[in-house]
Amino acid sequence: MPQTPSSGSMLLRRAVRRRLGLLFPGVITMSLWQVCEALVPVAIGIVVDIAIIPLSLPMLLVSILGIALLFTVLSLGYRFGARLCNSAREHEAHALRVEITHAALTSANLPPDRASGEVLSIASADADTAAQSFAQLGRGIASVLGMITAAVFLLIADPVTGLVVLIAVPIGLLIVALPGRSVSVKANSQLEAVARAGRSASDLMHGLRVIKAMGGETWAVDRYRQTSDEAATAGIATGERTGRLAGLGALVMSVVLAIVLIVAGLRLIDGQMSVGALIGILGMTAFLTEPMRALAEIVGLFAQSHGAAQRITQLLTDIDDTESITAPSDAPAPTVDIDDEAISIRDWAVGEERTVDVTTSFGTLTCIVTEDPAPESALLAALSTHARGTTVGQMLVSPHTVDLFEGTIRSNITMIPGAGEAPVSAEVLDASGVDELLGLVENGLDHRIQELGGNLSGGQRQRVALARALHADPQVLILHEPTTAVDAVTEARIASGLQDLRSSRGGAATLIFTSSPAFLAAADSVVFVPTTGPSLVGKHAELLAAADDSAADAAAAYRNAVTR
């Protein structure tokens, strides 16, 4: 994964560097188009002087061929230049979406203030907005070169008029560029408001079943309407500021052109230029309107791109900062090792300058119970980080939060798009309790699941997620409270089935973070980490019955932790 830029400007510069293969020829061909367009009035003026006024038919034919060639180069230059610059835009937008999505999907935990709806907004709207500058980069450089061509011609045709252009145009461009920062600020505010609206919509959709059950539709609509209105207000503010910038650009352009026309007219009255030169100057003056208007628009677009790039950079930085926190700031992250016989966790900081070592041999099931949730979260984050560095099938961390996707039960278990007849073993269905679910729905494994699993209960979603983890059959499986929404009888059946399935595959180790008595009773070993005092290791029944004076307090804490 590429190194995260530290600012929006750095992100845009990095984007330019990695799209040079498209941008360089795109800028060249777009510049060729704009320079040829600038030469059109020059060519017309020359035709008037050498063919029309002298009434020369041969020169007229040559002139027609020359203008045809000029327009051919002009047309092809724009066609291929625009195609290359737009390709750079689409490739970079895609690369940014992939980078944002990869960072979000591989993060152990998203920053607490970043909801999925906001990440989706940044990965779509912001990525597209940041990349839109590429479509304008070639046009902007071409506009500048076209204006330089015009100024050079004017200097040759009439030095006074050319000097006026060389002075007035840069001043006009500076005036147009000055409000660009305010447009960037407004655009950034708009994108943030859109992201908040997306976050609100995602939040409401997650809880839609509860909202409907509680009759809270009106509250939900009012809540989303408020965030949506804020996004609309921010969009209007951005449009207003962008419109003011475009209006300022049009005003400055008109003033510059008026000055050029006045100077050229005075020079003509004095008899200091030919008719062809006058036609060329007037045509060149008219030509200047297009690049000046384009540059005024491009300033606003680049300001919006910079604002979007800044938001992307901030999200990636926040994810990086979150990833660096896998344990309390005053304690190192635990070490996780997998060898031929077991998975070993060393130096797991559990508070009060205490560390715990945990070893789970292949073919066994170990449960971990913590009295304080903070060490548990730190260890889960460390295991998730370690799992991302292993080969596929070696280690899988299945979180407590269940994520199901629109499709079938089969596709959610096998994670194969359009799973069709992809097989799922009866042992997996039995161990996860999904076999009971299949008897309650139509079409069995091919029963359609709505977005986010909205047509399943919490317990049913947990069973499908557990089946997905068991179907993957990793060498090391880490589960975090996999059955909290399942009834006690079903949970006991799942615990027994999971133990049988994993132990039958002798090369597999299973580690479960849970306080469920059903899983604890089925476990080969239980590790209990109290808030204070020594940790306990043993079978569930042994820990419940522990009466040794040195472990009495820990045993009492264990009994309290696992009693429901």
Side-chain angles (χ1 to χ4, degrees):
M1 183 175 175
Q3 184 178 2
T4 302
S6 59
S7 67
S9 298
M10 290 185 64
L11 185 141
L12 292 178
R13 286 197 294 270
R14 183 195 69 177
V16 169
R17 288 195 300 271
R18 62 188 188 184
R19 301 298 160 205
L20 276 178
L22 290 170
L23 286 175
F24 185 74
V27 168
I28 294 296
T29 47
M30 286 290 285
S31 299
L32 186 63
W33 155 68
Q34 191 74 91
V35 170
C36 288
E37 195 168 78
L39 293 176
V40 169
V42 177
I44 293 174
I46 293 174
V47 170
V48 170
D49 281 342
I50 68 172
I52 295 181
I53 293 178
L55 299 177
S56 172
L57 182 59
M59 294 307 298
L60 180 60
L61 294 176
V62 172
S63 299
I64 291 174
L65 291 175
I67 290 179
L69 178 62
L70 181 65
F71 272 91
T72 299
V73 175
L74 182 155
S75 176
L76 292 177
Y78 181 81
R79 176 184 177 183
F80 290 103
R83 180 180 297 177
L84 289 165
C85 290
N86 282 319
S87 295
R89 178 192 65 187
E90 296 302 327
H91 280 86
E92 184 60 25
H94 173 70
L96 289 173
R97 285 192 291 269
V98 170
E99 183 176 355
I100 295 166
T101 305
H102 179 271
L105 290 176
T106 58
S107 172
N109 294 288
L110 280 176
D113 60 339
R114 300 286 193 175
S116 57
E118 182 178 9
V119 175
L120 177 61
S121 175
I122 293 175
S124 53
D126 291 70
D128 288 338
T129 302
Q132 76 176 353
S133 56
F134 289 106
Q136 306 301 327
L137 183 61
R139 186 183 176 200
I141 295 176
S143 296
V144 172
L145 290 177
M147 295 174 69
I148 292 174
T149 302
V152 170
F153 166 76
L154 291 172
L155 281 173
I156 295 173
D158 186 70
V160 174
T161 306
L163 187 62
V164 169
V165 173
L166 289 178
I167 294 174
V169 169
I171 293 176
L173 292 178
L174 180 62
I175 294 174
V176 172
L178 287 177
R181 179 172 292 276
S182 65
V183 175
S184 178
V185 172
K186 291 294 183 182
N188 193 41
S189 299
Q190 177 192 2
L191 292 170
E192 288 179 353
V194 170
R196 285 196 298 271
R199 180 170 56 194
S200 176
S202 176
D203 186 38
L204 292 173
M205 290 305 297
H206 274 290
L208 188 58
R209 289 167 59 92
V210 176
I211 291 172
K212 288 186 174 181
M214 300 294 293
E217 291 94 335
T218 302
W219 168 84
V221 169
D222 290 342
R223 177 184 173 186
Y224 182 72
R225 180 181 288 116
Q226 180 180 354
T227 58
S228 181
D229 287 346
E230 291 174 355
T233 301
I236 292 172
T238 302
E240 180 185 14
R241 192 60 58 90
T242 304
R244 288 180 180 178
L245 181 61
L248 177 63
L251 177 61
V252 171
M253 174 189 67
S254 300
V255 171
V256 171
L257 293 180
I259 293 173
V260 173
L261 288 173
I262 290 172
V263 172
L266 293 175
R267 301 285 289 172
L268 176 64
I269 293 174
D270 291 341
Q272 299 182 28
M273 66 177 65
S274 66
V275 176
L278 175 63
I279 293 174
I281 288 175
L282 293 178
M284 193 65 73
T285 303
F287 159 78
L288 283 173
T289 61
E290 176 57 28
M292 290 185 67
R293 182 184 296 112
L295 288 174
E297 294 175 356
I298 289 169
V299 169
L301 291 173
F302 268 102
Q304 294 179 33
S305 294
H306 182 269
Q310 187 63 43
R311 282 175 45 74
I312 293 172
T313 300
Q314 187 60 55
L315 173 65
L316 296 176
T317 301
D318 289 348
I319 291 177
D320 285 347
D321 290 344
T322 302
E323 285 296 287
S324 65
I325 304 174
T326 58
S329 58
D330 58 347
T335 300
V336 180
D337 292 313
I338 302 176
D339 55 29
D340 294 335
E341 298 181 354
I343 172 174
S344 301
I345 300 168
R346 299 282 181 264
D347 302 321
W348 172 26
V350 296
E352 294 184 342
E353 299 183 355
R354 295 178 301 144
T355 60
V356 173
D357 295 340
V358 179
T359 299
T360 299
S361 301
F362 293 133
T364 64
L365 186 153
T366 300
C367 287
I368 295 180
V369 184
T370 61
E371 197 172 14
D372 181 1
E376 177 184 280
S377 299
L379 180 54
L380 279 167
L383 290 169
S384 297
T385 302
H386 184 83
R388 292 197 298 274
T390 63
T391 59
V392 175
Q394 185 179 23
M395 184 175 180
L396 172 65
V397 179
S398 181
H400 171 65
T401 302
V402 174
D403 289 310
L404 297 186
F405 309 96
E406 187 175 2
T408 64
I409 294 177
R410 186 192 306 273
S411 66
N412 271 272
I413 293 175
T414 61
M415 296 304 292
I416 300 175
E421 298 299 322
V424 181
S425 71
E427 292 84 356
V428 167
L429 298 176
D430 179 69
S432 61
V434 171
D435 56 345
E436 291 186 355
L437 169 61
L438 298 182
L440 301 175
V441 299
E442 297 180 357
N443 302 321
L445 283 170
D446 296 316
H447 177 73
R448 298 295 300 181
I449 294 180
Q450 296 176 0
E451 184 179 4
L452 304 176
N455 57 334
L456 299 180
S457 68
Q460 290 170 340
R461 290 196 295 270
Q462 282 190 331
R463 281 183 270 184
V464 174
L466 179 58
R468 180 165 58 202
L470 294 175
H471 177 79
D473 194 23
Q475 184 181 23
V476 178
L477 175 61
I478 314 293
L479 300 174
H480 181 213
E481 295 289 5
T483 55
T484 52
V486 176
D487 64 85
V489 175
T490 303
E491 185 177 48
R493 177 171 170 260
I494 291 174
S496 176
L498 187 149
Q499 166 67 299
D500 292 341
L501 176 64
R502 295 292 290 176
S503 62
S504 68
R505 301 175 182 181
T510 309
L511 190 62
I512 305 178
F513 291 82
T514 184
S515 58
S516 163
F519 279 101
L520 297 174
D524 297 299
S525 177
V526 176
V527 178
F528 174 61
V529 181
T531 303
T532 60
S535 301
L536 299 181
V537 180
K539 285 188 170 293
H540 176 56
E542 296 172 350
L543 299 187
L544 288 175
D548 185 85
D549 290 342
S550 62
D553 291 341
Y558 177 73
R559 286 190 292 271
N560 183 63
V562 302
T563 301
R564 293 187 175 182

